[in-house]
């Protein structure tokens, strides 16, 4: 198992992994692919990416990731201190106005991530490359940019070496997707952005980094050790659903959004392909988002709330059973200070989930997640981040080998961005608690600190 | 027709309808988009719809001399100005602007009402005012007001600096002093040659508070 492992959280109840969850604190590309690609398929994809890379490299010096080509601007115009994917106020407006600023251009980009993981004490039950070997982790192809004057797209297909449960098999599937149309009514006194979005991951449409879909780091994380149960809003429906939503952003102060999610099958299956057995949810499931923002001098801040209400069939092959109902409420906060040569960013995200099971007599569960992250970047080149996670749940439908729940720890990280398309970093995740305890976390003598993981990564995009 | 089909038809109709006007377009490569539309749809994100930016990374453009704005946008477009703030943000924005759009953009921001910063450090600003009004004779630094006007308002040949963000003024003074990135501002290289860092901070602090 690994960072994209499935959480069979309903042990004894789920025949199939209905609730696919990302499992550590350093996950940007939320996905849980399961489609195994053949060896020839892998070669084909590599060849394709290499050809595309050469094609792009043969273009002019501004031929950088698609959005930068579209605007002609440096990545740091949209990404705080050059930290992908964290957005500056301008980057947020670029997204809210439908990815349409600039001009139509070749809407393609590629991204690759190499990682080396070293787990303090190797856990044979959890994933690969725990010995520090530098390994190709994920590669993505982006279709991103202005489509029409007021409509644009961000769509990602990801090849993930670690999507499988065993071996070095490659898995490819739809990743984050956000298609939107937006318009802006503005004069000196009023500024109203309104738009519609079609996307495949609750929160991926958000423009703040405190949304779980974007919040936890630049690269896929480590090995899957210390994997907690996480709320549905934290990737539980990623690339499994189709969401159609409408939003407004008034006077750059108030953001409000209403989105409905349906199962991503049928006409919407292009948004969920290659991501394992299709999760089935009942009808249209609402998501509400409200955020207040304010900017002063070089500072800007956001405080927001969101609510997700999902009815999911525990067994997607049997729709005659009652659904389980997941109700998530979150409060999140983001702060940024952006003035060359300094970039400071901080996020806090608190999610509380209630799970009411459809099975008569089954006791309800709760899941609580708290994450915080603070970063400093100097001259958009040298950066340091510290993040904290504390995730726990009740144990009625969920199980734990210790009879307790709760994962808690820290991840300090330093990174270097020698040029805007390449980033190298080292992070160390320290587990204070796994399965609610610091020692004997698996019932066989393993300590929480045995899961501590050192990770080195090289991230590149073009 | 099921709900999904109706929704898709409505969405496509809405999108198509939005494609027919240039008055609210964000297309930077369409010569038909009026300068005012670009100013409000794109430039305003960093510089403010009224030209008074919030973040000091981005200069205030409100009330700026029209001729200066035309010169700067033309310079960005031709890569004649290459300081980081210019190249990282403005080269791309300006690369396909037409002369007409540049003139319209300049006119739009020149007509806006500038808002100065409030006083934050009286001692520093007083030191800056002395340099602004009198220069530093023993360092061959002339008074800023000689060219930029007694109130920093500028004229056809020199830019308005009154009310500009202190951080932006200080950074640009260092660009003039230490680099060749703004060749059309070469006159400032001589003027800033002997300015010490604390003197740059002082004069920038004062300039940011000039309200007219």
């Amino acid at each position: 198992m690994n960072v994209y492992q499935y959480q069979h959280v309903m042990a004894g109840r789920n025949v199939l992994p209905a609730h696919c969850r990302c499992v550590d604190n350093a996950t940007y590309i939320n996905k849980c692919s399961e489609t195994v690609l053949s060896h020839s398929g892998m070669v084909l994809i590599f060849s394709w990416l290499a050809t595309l890379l050469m094609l792009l490299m043969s273009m002019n010096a501004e031929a950088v990731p698609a959005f930068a080509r579209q605007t002609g601007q440096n990545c740091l115009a949209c990404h705080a201190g050059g930290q992908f994917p964290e957005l500056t106020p301008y980057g947020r407006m670029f997204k809210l106005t439908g990815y349409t600023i600039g001009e139509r251009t070749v809407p393609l980009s590629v991204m690759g991530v190499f990682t080396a993981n070293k787990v303090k004490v190797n856990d044979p039950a959890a994933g690969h490359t725990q010995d520090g070997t530098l390994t190709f982790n994920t590669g993505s192809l982006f279709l991103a940019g202005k489509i029409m004057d007021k409509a644009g797209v961000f769509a990602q297909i990801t090849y993930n070496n670690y999507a499988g449960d065993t071996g070095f098999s490659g898995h490819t599937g739809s990743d984050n997707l956000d298609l939107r149309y937006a318009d802006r009514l503005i004069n000196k006194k009023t500024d109203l952005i309104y738009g519609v979005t079609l996307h495949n991951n609750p929160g991926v449409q958000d423009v703040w980094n405190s949304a779980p879909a974007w919040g936890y780091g630049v690269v896929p994380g480590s090995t899957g050790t210390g994997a907690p149960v996480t709320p549905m809003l934290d990737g539980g429906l990623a690339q499994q659903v189709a969401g159609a939503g409408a939003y407004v952003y008034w006077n750059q102060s108030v953001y409000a959004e209403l989105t409905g999610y349906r199962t991503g099958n049928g006409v919407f299956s292009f948004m969920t392909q290659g991501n394992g057995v299709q999760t089935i949810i009942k009808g249209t499931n609402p998501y509400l988002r409200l955020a207040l923002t304010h900017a002063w001098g070089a500072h800007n801040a956001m405080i927001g709330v969101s609510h997700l209400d999902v009815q999911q069939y525990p067994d997607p092959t049997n729709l005659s059973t009652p659904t389980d109902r997941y109700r998530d409420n979150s409060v999140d906060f983001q702060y940024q200070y952006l003035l060359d040569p300094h970039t400071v960013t901080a996020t806090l995200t608190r999610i509380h989930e209630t799970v009411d099971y459809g099975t008569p007599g089954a006791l309800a569960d709760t899941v609580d997640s708290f994450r915080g992250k603070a970063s400093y970047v100097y001259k958009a080149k040298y950066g340091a981040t510290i993040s904290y996670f504390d995730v726990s749940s009740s144990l009625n439908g969920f199980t734990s080998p210790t009879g307790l729940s709760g994962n808690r720890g820290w991840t300090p990280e330093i990174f270097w961005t020698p040029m805007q398309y390449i980033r190298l970093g080292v992070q160390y995740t320290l587990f204070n608690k796994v399965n609610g305890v610091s020692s004997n976390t698996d019932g066989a003598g393993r300590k929480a600190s045995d899961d501590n993981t050192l990770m080195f990564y090289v991230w590149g995009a073009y | 027709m099921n709900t999904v089909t109706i929704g898709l038809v409505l969405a496509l109709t809405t999108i198509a309808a939005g494609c027919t006007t240039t008055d609210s377009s964000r297309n930077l490569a369409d010569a038909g988009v009026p300068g005012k539309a670009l100013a409000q749809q794109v430039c305003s994100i960093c510089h403010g719809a009224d030209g008074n930016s919030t973040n000091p990374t981005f200069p205030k453009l409100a009330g700026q001399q029209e001729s200066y704005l035309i010169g700067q946008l033309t310079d960005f477009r031709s890569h004649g100005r290459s300081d980081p703030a210019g190249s990282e943000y403005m080269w791309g924005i300006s690369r396909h602007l037409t002369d007409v759009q540049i003139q319209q953009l300049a006119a739009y921001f020149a007509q806006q009402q500038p808002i100065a910063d409030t006083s934050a450090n009286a001692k520093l600003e007083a030191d800056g005012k002395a340099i602004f009004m009198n220069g530093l004779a023993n360092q061959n630094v002339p008074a800023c007001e000689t060219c930029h006007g007694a109130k920093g308002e500028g004229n056809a040949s020199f830019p308005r600096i009154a009310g500009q963000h202190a951080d932006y003024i200080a950074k640009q003074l260092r660009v003039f002093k230490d680099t060749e990135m703004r060749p059309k501002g070469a006159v400032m290289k001589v003027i800033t040659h002997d300015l010490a860092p604390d003197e740059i901070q002082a004069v920038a602090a004062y300039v940011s508070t000039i309200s007219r």
Side-chain angles (χ1 to χ4, degrees):
Chain A
M1 290 187 293
N2 54 68
V3 64
Y4 298 132
Q5 75 186 126
Y6 285 117
Q7 291 290 294
H8 297 263
V9 293
M10 298 294 289
R13 291 164 55 87
N14 269 5
V15 176
L16 294 165
H19 198 160
C20 164
R21 296 161 184 238
C22 296
V23 294
D24 81 355
N25 65 323
T27 302
Y28 150 57
I29 308 164
N30 289 319
K31 59 193 305 301
C32 305
S33 305
E34 198 175 62
T35 302
V36 179
L37 205 68
S38 67
H39 179 71
S40 60
M42 286 170 60
V43 171
L44 185 64
I45 284 203
F46 277 124
S47 306
W48 192 32
L49 290 176
T51 305
L52 189 66
L53 193 63
M54 284 190 287
L55 176 70
L56 292 171
M57 289 177 77
S58 68
M59 299 172 73
N60 66 45
E62 292 172 358
V64 294
F67 288 143
R69 282 198 300 278
Q70 176 176 319
T71 65
Q73 294 175 299
N74 189 287
C75 297
L76 60 80
C78 285
H79 296 291
Q83 299 173 90
F84 181 80
E86 194 157 345
L87 295 175
T88 62
Y90 176 76
R92 294 195 284 271
M93 294 291 276
F94 178 82
K95 182 171 176 176
L96 289 170
T97 52
Y99 312 107
T100 58
I101 293 173
E103 63 193 75
R104 265 198 298 268
T105 181
V106 178
L108 296 172
S109 281
V110 290
M111 180 179 84
V113 182
F114 287 81
T115 59
N117 293 291
K118 181 77 180 76
V119 179
K120 187 176 176 183
V121 176
N122 197 34
D123 178 3
H128 332 278
T129 61
Q130 298 177 38
D131 60 355
T133 306
L134 187 66
T135 310
F136 177 62
N137 193 322
T138 59
S140 292
L141 173 68
F142 296 91
L143 172 68
K146 185 183 184 79
I147 303 172
M148 288 192 269
D149 202 48
K150 290 171 184 171
V153 67
F154 172 92
Q156 182 179 3
I157 299 168
T158 292
Y159 167 85
N160 176 14
N161 259 340
Y162 295 110
D165 286 335
T166 56
F168 193 79
S169 56
H171 299 173
T172 301
S174 301
D175 205 327
N176 288 326
L177 181 148
D178 180 28
L179 172 68
R180 62 176 71 204
Y181 166 88
D183 205 353
R184 185 180 189 194
L185 306 174
I186 180 172
N187 57 40
K188 275 188 280 185
K189 291 184 177 170
T190 301
D191 181 2
L192 179 70
I193 293 171
Y194 62 94
V196 291
T197 162
L198 178 67
H199 56 272
N200 65 351
N201 180 4
V204 79
Q205 75 278 28
D206 218 74
V207 295
W208 292 280
N209 242 59
S210 45
W214 296 111
Y216 307 137
V218 68
V219 295
S222 50
T223 61
T225 51
V229 169
T230 53
M232 188 68 91
L233 201 48
D234 197 349
L237 295 175
Q239 294 85 47
Q240 293 291 326
V241 292
Y247 62 91
V248 292
Y249 189 36
W250 178 71
N251 279 359
Q252 298 187 41
S253 298
V254 181
Y255 175 83
E257 176 197 332
L258 173 61
T259 292
Y261 291 97
R262 299 175 65 92
T263 302
N265 55 10
V267 69
F268 299 112
S269 59
F270 71 96
M271 302 164 76
T272 59
Q273 283 297 301
N275 288 293
V277 175
Q278 176 65 57
T279 296
I280 306 292
I281 56 178
K282 184 179 180 182
T284 301
N285 299 255
Y287 169 84
L288 297 161
R289 174 72 157 143
L290 182 66
L292 304 177
T293 63
H294 182 61
W296 68 103
H299 313 264
N300 69 81
M302 181 281 300
I303 185 163
V305 293
S306 55
H307 174 76
L308 176 68
D309 191 338
V310 174
Q311 295 186 66
Q312 179 181 4
Y313 290 99
D315 177 356
T317 64
N318 181 6
L319 307 189
S320 64
T321 62
T323 55
D324 297 337
R325 188 171 185 187
Y326 298 79
R327 278 175 289 191
D328 288 21
N329 289 299
S330 85
V331 179
D332 60 322
F333 170 80
Q334 175 173 294
Y335 165 81
Q336 294 180 322
Y337 175 85
L338 305 170
L339 188 62
D340 183 61
H342 308 295
T343 299
V344 177
T345 65
T347 59
L348 295 173
T349 309
R350 171 89 168 83
I351 305 173
H352 175 74
E353 177 177 82
T354 304
V355 188
D356 292 309
Y357 301 111
T359 306
L363 293 173
D365 266 318
T366 58
V367 182
D368 289 283
S369 162
F370 176 80
R371 297 184 190 254
K373 178 170 173 278
S375 299
Y376 172 75
V377 189
Y378 180 67
K379 288 188 172 178
K381 279 187 184 301
Y382 313 102
T385 294
I386 180 83
S387 59
Y388 174 77
F389 58 94
D390 185 353
V391 185
S392 63
S393 70
S394 58
L395 296 173
N396 294 321
F398 302 119
T399 60
S400 165
T402 65
L404 296 170
S405 167
N407 286 35
R408 194 167 67 201
W410 297 82
T411 305
E413 175 181 342
I414 54 172
F415 58 89
W416 177 42
T417 311
M419 53 191 292
Q420 62 175 341
Y421 323 125
I422 295 177
R423 174 167 153 170
L424 296 86
V426 179
Q427 61 175 233
Y428 190 66
T429 300
L430 301 110
F431 289 90
N432 301 133
K433 253 196 220 178
V434 171
N435 292 329
V437 293
S438 57
S439 59
N440 199 22
T441 62
D442 59 354
R446 188 174 176 84
K447 293 185 288 189
S449 61
D450 289 347
D451 289 350
N452 291 0
T453 303
L454 179 70
M455 181 175 77
F456 167 75
Y457 64 83
V458 181
W459 170 92
Y462 205 86
Chain B
M1 224 182 317
N2 63 29
T3 310
V4 171
T5 310
I6 291 170
L8 285 174
V9 168
L10 283 175
L12 290 172
T13 305
T14 308
I15 289 169
C19 295
T20 58
T21 174
T22 56
D23 289 341
S24 59
S25 176
R26 299 173 282 276
N27 190 339
L28 292 165
D30 181 351
V33 180
K36 183 181 178 183
L38 293 179
Q40 293 184 327
Q41 292 290 329
V42 181
C43 311
S44 69
I45 295 172
C46 296
H47 294 286
D50 66 351
N52 290 290
S53 56
T54 301
N55 190 311
T57 302
F58 311 106
K60 294 175 185 172
L61 305 181
Q64 184 53 272
Q65 296 292 333
E66 195 171 322
S67 56
Y68 179 76
L69 289 171
I70 291 172
Q72 293 306 298
L73 281 169
T74 307
D75 260 11
F76 289 132
R77 186 178 62 182
S78 66
H79 297 186
R81 178 178 165 181
S82 59
D83 57 297
S87 63
E88 290 166 356
Y89 297 94
M90 290 304 298
W91 283 10
I93 293 286
S94 62
R95 61 185 167 177
H96 296 307
L97 292 178
T98 65
D99 289 344
V100 171
Q101 286 174 316
I102 285 177
Q103 194 281 323
Q104 291 169 338
L105 285 163
Y108 175 88
F109 285 111
Q111 289 164 9
Q112 306 303 316
Q113 288 298 311
I115 301 171
D117 287 352
T118 52
S119 176
N121 185 332
K123 169 70 170 63
L124 189 66
E125 290 152 15
D127 292 347
K129 184 176 183 179
I131 297 170
F132 183 92
M133 300 299 290
N134 307 314
L136 296 164
N138 57 351
Q139 293 169 236
N140 296 314
V141 176
C144 309
E145 65 146 10
T146 309
C147 296
H148 292 281
K151 289 292 185 183
E153 69 277 15
N155 51 52
S157 303
F158 296 97
R160 174 189 180 88
I161 52 176
Q164 188 56 270
H165 292 296
D167 186 83
Y168 183 79
I169 290 282
K171 279 177 177 154
Q172 291 305 312
L173 288 174
R174 287 195 290 271
V175 167
F176 290 130
K177 183 176 189 296
D178 301 332
T179 78
E180 311 293 332
M181 294 172 174
R182 295 189 62 175
K184 288 191 179 168
V187 63
M188 287 299 294
K189 190 165 187 66
V190 180
I191 290 167
T192 55
H193 184 268
D194 290 329
L195 267 181
D198 59 333
E199 292 161 345
I200 287 177
Q201 293 300 323
V203 77
Y206 171 66
V207 163
S208 72
T209 63
I210 304 175
S211 60
R212 284 198 299 165

